């Protein structure tokens, strides 16, 4: 007969490989998982937004006149709008600054807020942010939940107003660097597409999405294999994998393209095994758009960020002593055709000095004033 200790150690030995095989499944998931009901809810929303956009394209063909800067009938056509998509898991620290930015431009913008359910937001009555919340779910770093949240914002804005023509993702740490008028002119004077433009014209008269699309970055391979080796194939080969900032401005047709996507999402929604190299939202959008319409994208972002001395994936955070009109002017300067419109990241206590500058404290001219 076998002695009990022998049986025990034999059983232990046998179970070792099994343990390795099943261990990942026994351990509780470290990060938020996207449940099937949530996924189906999102799909239904994306489908509604896609359908309504294609039907408004067919039925209201004449609506598309508004894409022309000047109409033969004058200015009776409603003007295109910018949808500002606030993605946050805290209070909107710079809401009063954004209020100043939006002041007096009501017909030209819409606001949508995706706030993590754990966020405690204080929205004063009468604020432009009042009642602008969309159905939101939990978001977490190093998980695909930030992609889902951005897509939910895009879909809701597409569905809500056919005049929404540009879609800007903004975080609670972002501030405006120019007046609304300046931002509007920048986006709406960038080349527009029209369904009536002859094809040879649209080739040059392309609408532009402002999204950073980079390849050949140092940590790209680790990012590519963060969900396991080869799992991205065949949809996304390493050669086509891109990185860029999650803070972008998309033209309407690109917003539609993003919410219609199923193929790449199936891959990017896979949970990360290597959470150190996992930032799905920095890859999904640039990869998808560079595959589908590389020439329709700027490849750079309009949101300035300072990566000098970055730590743990976080960029430089500006603090009150650094805030000055000079800093605002410095942050606007870009190497592209367009000046930066937004900047991040700012600590919440920068609100006071920024408000002082924006309200034209002393004899300084407000950096948010018309013409700035
Ligand atoms: C960027 O951040 C560094 C510190 O990390 C700071 O010294 C530098 O002035 C910042 N650059 C700009 C343009 O604000
Ligand atoms: C512009 O390009 C120069 C040279 O490549 C670089 O040093 C600088 O940081 C760039 N400026 C911005 C705002 O990106």
């Amino acid at each position: 007969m076998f002695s009990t200790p022998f049986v025990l150690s034999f059983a232990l030995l046998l179970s070792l490989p099994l343990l390795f095989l099943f261990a990942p499944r026994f351990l509780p998931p470290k990060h938020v998982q996207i449940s099937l009901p949530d996924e189906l809810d999102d799909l239904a929303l994306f489908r509604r937004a896609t359908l309504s956009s294609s039907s408004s394209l067919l039925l209201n063909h004449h609506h598309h006149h508004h894409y022309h800067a000047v109409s033969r009938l004058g200015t009776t056509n409603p003007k295109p709008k910018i949808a500002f998509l606030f993605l946050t898991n805290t209070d909107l620290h710079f809401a009063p600054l954004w209020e100043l930015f939006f002041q007096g431009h009501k017909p030209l913008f819409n606001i949508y807020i995706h706030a993590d359910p754990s966020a405690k937001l204080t929205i004063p009555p009468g604020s432009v942010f009042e009642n602008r919340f969309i159905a939101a779910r939990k978001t977490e770093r190093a998980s695909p939940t930030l992609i889902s949240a951005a897509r939910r914002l895009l879909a809701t804005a597409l569905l809500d107003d056919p005049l929404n023509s540009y879609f800007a993702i903004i975080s609670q740490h972002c501030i405006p660097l120019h007046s609304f008028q300046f931002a509007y002119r920048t986006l709406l004077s960038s080349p527009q597409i029209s369904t009536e433009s002859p094809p040879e014209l649209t080739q040059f008269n392309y609408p532009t999405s402002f999204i950073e699309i980079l390849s050949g970055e140092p940590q790209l391979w680790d990012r590519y294999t963060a969900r396991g080796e080869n799992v991205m194939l065949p949809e996304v080969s390493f050669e086509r994998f891109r990185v860029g900032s999650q803070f972008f401005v998309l033209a309407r047709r690109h917003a539609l393209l993003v919410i219609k996507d199923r193929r790449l999402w199936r891959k990017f929604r896979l949970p990360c095994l290597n959470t150190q190299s996992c930032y799905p939202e920095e890859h999904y959008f640039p990869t998808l758009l560079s595959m589908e319409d590389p020439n329709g994208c700027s490849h750079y972002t309009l949101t300035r960020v300072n990566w000098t001395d970055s730590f743990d994936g976080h960029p430089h955070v500006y603090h009150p002593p650094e805030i000055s009109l000079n800093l605002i002017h410095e942050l606007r300067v870009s190497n592209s055709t367009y000046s930066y419109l937004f900047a991040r990241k700012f600590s919440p206590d920068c609100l006071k000095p920024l408000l002082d500058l924006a309200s034209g404290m002393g004899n300084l001219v407000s950096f948010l004033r018309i013409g700035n």
Side-chain angles (χ1 to χ4, degrees), residues 137-264:
R137 290 188 212 290
K138 188 154 178 47
T139 51
E140 193 182 27
R141 241 183 143 210
S143 82
T145 53
L146 284 167
I147 301 178
S148 301
R151 294 177 93 201
R152 240 171 258 136
L153 277 164
L154 290 168
T156 309
L158 280 164
L159 198 56
D160 180 57
D161 192 339
L163 289 174
N164 283 335
S165 304
Y166 274 96
F167 301 78
I169 300 267
I170 309 281
S171 89
Q172 72 269 40
H173 304 290
C174 290
I175 65 156
L177 291 175
H178 282 281
S179 67
F180 181 91
Q181 192 201 42
F182 185 99
Y184 189 84
R185 212 180 329 113
T186 299
L187 294 177
L188 273 300
S189 67
S190 71
Q192 302 294 304
I193 200 166
S194 150
T195 43
E196 286 126 50
S197 306
E200 64 275 14
L201 202 72
T202 53
Q203 201 188 335
F204 302 102
N205 204 10
Y206 228 50
T208 304
S209 282
F210 297 92
I211 177 167
E212 189 173 49
I213 301 176
L214 305 172
S215 54
E217 294 295 295
Q219 271 126 41
L220 211 54
W221 178 254
D222 290 343
R223 300 284 195 97
Y224 180 67
T225 54
R227 291 157 211 84
E229 281 204 34
N230 298 328
V231 297
M232 302 301 279
L233 294 173
E235 285 84 354
V236 188
S237 65
F238 179 60
E239 289 65 40
R240 308 199 73 181
F241 189 66
R242 297 287 181 272
V243 64
S245 155
Q246 71 187 113
F247 300 96
F248 47 68
V249 184
L250 296 188
R252 190 172 175 98
R253 64 197 192 85
H254 286 155
L256 256 174
L257 190 154
V258 163
I259 63 153
K260 278 184 187 168
D261 169 61
R262 304 272 179 276
R263 234 164 68 90
L264 262 55

Side-chain angles (χ1 to χ4, degrees), residues 68-123:
H68 296 290
V70 182
S71 145
R72 257 179 302 149
L73 301 174
T75 54
T76 52
N77 291 317
K79 291 218 171 76
K81 297 180 191 178
I82 303 173
F84 287 84
L85 313 177
F86 286 82
L87 182 49
T88 188
N89 58 1
T90 66
D91 200 3
L92 292 174
H93 311 305
F94 300 110
L97 188 68
W98 287 102
E99 294 269 357
L100 284 180
F101 172 83
F102 288 122
Q103 206 167 64
H105 301 286
K106 199 73 192 112
L108 301 180
F109 70 90
N110 280 309
I111 291 172
Y112 305 88
I113 309 168
H114 186 292
D116 186 285
S118 69
K120 307 255 181 300
L121 286 97
T122 45
I123 306 289

Side-chain angles (χ1 to χ4, degrees), residues 123-128 130:
I123 306 289
S127 153
V128 287
E130 204 178 15

Side-chain angles (χ1 to χ4, degrees), residues 35-78:
S35 71
L36 187 62
D38 288 0
E39 182 79 16
L40 293 177
D41 254 16
D42 281 354
L43 267 175
L45 169 67
F46 301 163
R47 204 167 287 134
R48 276 205 312 281
T50 307
L51 281 174
S52 95
S53 285
S54 46
S55 63
S56 69
L57 212 95
L58 291 173
L59 299 176
N60 304 326
H61 194 65
H62 294 288
H63 243 110
H64 284 256
H65 281 295
H66 73 247
Y67 284 115
H68 296 290
V70 182
S71 145
R72 257 179 302 149
L73 301 174
T75 54
T76 52
N77 291 317

